[in-house]
Amino acid sequence: MNLREQVDLDNLPRHIAVIMDGNGRWAKKRGGLRIFGHQSAITAVRETVEAAAEMGVEYLTLYAFSTENWSRPATEVSALMQLLVSTIRKETATLNKNNIRLQTIGNTESLPKACQKELLEAIEITKGNTRMTLVLALSYSGRWDIAQAMQRIAVEVGHGTIAPADISEATIAQHLSTAGIPDPELLIRTSGEQRISNFLLWQLAYTELYITELLWPDFRKEHLYEAICAFQRRERRFGKTSEQLTK
């Protein structure tokens, strides 16, 4: 039985998030520039999106560019932005053909105008698609997300539409950039790093973590199947005991 056949399609995580790490190291191992790793990672993105949609995953969030990534060398950032524009332009038709909706989270207003234009067009073209939602986290950080939620709540408190005593976890969730999207049940991180790197800090409270030594450009469908199988073997207790779950 291959890995695909081992996946229990009745017990899929509704939402999978991915920290796509290791592009630079992958390129360095091959004597190339870091952008070579980013270019080579497009195949990994395509295969992951296809596999998730084929199985019936509802939401897939990819950590494409963090707020902290702006501090990288200007040449790398510029090349990344150009790659983002060209990739979205090439892949939008495929997303639409496969009934996949594109969304973004993050401070996308900080992206170059050309990136914003391509994103808005792709979001508009795919907005009616229902098979799966692909969320790109761009110029995103978990702390930024929580801070902007607090700012929006503070404005509503100032207007008298929310009372401070009525602010709940649900209130905060409704003001995050992921409002309306279920929290990830599975987080995959490639390259073996043991951290979540300021990604979806609020939303990952009870997410199962799956860390692989594999570098992102080498990630393929079978690796997604492997991660989901590992997720399905775990007992998710949410603070309860095993005995409580079996009653």
Side-chain angles (χ1 to χ4, degrees):
M1 183 183 292
N2 60 39
L3 276 172
R4 173 66 176 80
E5 293 172 337
Q6 294 177 39
V7 175
D8 179 1
L9 297 180
D10 294 324
N11 187 32
L12 287 172
R14 290 185 66 198
H15 184 180
I16 298 174
V18 185
I19 298 176
M20 307 179 293
D21 197 18
N23 295 345
R25 275 166 282 176
W26 187 91
K28 187 176 180 181
K29 282 184 176 183
R30 288 157 179 77
L33 297 174
R34 292 177 61 87
I35 192 60
F36 172 55
H38 298 306
Q39 292 167 338
S40 301
I42 294 172
T43 301
V45 171
R46 187 179 296 120
E47 291 225 357
T48 302
V49 172
E50 287 179 358
E54 288 165 358
M55 283 186 292
V57 173
E58 294 179 43
Y59 296 88
L60 176 66
T61 298
L62 304 179
Y63 202 8
F65 193 82
S66 73
T67 304
E68 290 79 13
N69 287 156
W70 288 114
S71 62
R72 289 187 175 185
T75 52
E76 181 180 352
V77 172
S78 176
L80 270 171
M81 293 298 110
Q82 292 174 27
L83 180 62
L84 178 62
V85 169
S86 62
T87 301
I88 293 170
R89 187 175 295 153
K90 291 176 183 177
E91 299 296 329
T92 298
T94 302
L95 291 175
N96 210 29
K97 179 183 176 181
N98 289 299
N99 196 20
I100 297 171
R101 178 176 58 166
L102 180 67
Q103 289 188 350
T104 60
I105 57 173
N107 184 18
T108 54
E109 292 180 359
S110 64
L111 297 173
K113 295 298 182 184
C115 290
Q116 293 184 46
K117 179 177 180 291
E118 292 294 334
L119 284 168
L120 288 173
E121 288 181 1
I123 290 168
E124 178 64 23
I125 290 169
T126 64
K127 68 180 182 181
N129 295 339
T130 57
R131 186 182 187 188
M132 185 179 79
T133 298
L134 172 62
V135 183
L136 295 183
L138 292 163
S139 193
Y140 177 89
S141 80
R143 288 182 174 179
W144 165 87
D145 201 2
I146 294 170
Q148 65 86 32
M150 297 303 102
Q151 291 166 2
R152 291 169 62 194
I153 291 171
V155 169
E156 293 189 35
V157 169
H159 290 160
T161 55
I162 297 178
D166 292 334
I167 297 172
S168 64
E169 291 185 12
T171 308
I172 295 170
Q174 290 162 7
H175 289 79
L176 293 170
S177 62
T178 52
I181 298 174
D183 291 342
E185 292 159 280
L186 172 63
L187 170 70
I188 299 169
R189 177 164 191 153
T190 56
S191 86
E193 299 292 350
Q194 306 282 321
R195 58 180 179 270
I196 58 174
S197 296
N198 202 1
F199 185 41
L200 299 173
L201 296 179
W202 178 276
Q203 298 88 336
L204 293 177
Y206 279 103
T207 301
E208 297 293 327
L209 309 183
Y210 178 86
I211 296 173
T212 173
E213 296 291 331
L214 198 72
L215 301 177
W216 177 247
D218 291 326
F219 199 87
R220 295 294 181 268
K221 290 184 179 183
E222 60 267 26
H223 302 116
L224 181 64
Y225 304 148
E226 185 177 356
I228 293 174
C229 286
F231 165 84
Q232 292 178 337
R233 290 192 294 268
R234 298 185 188 179
E235 182 181 72
R236 307 192 72 215
R237 297 193 299 273
F238 300 98
K240 297 181 179 180
T241 65
S242 298
E243 291 73 20
Q244 286 176 299
L245 294 178
T246 56
K247 288 181 180 180

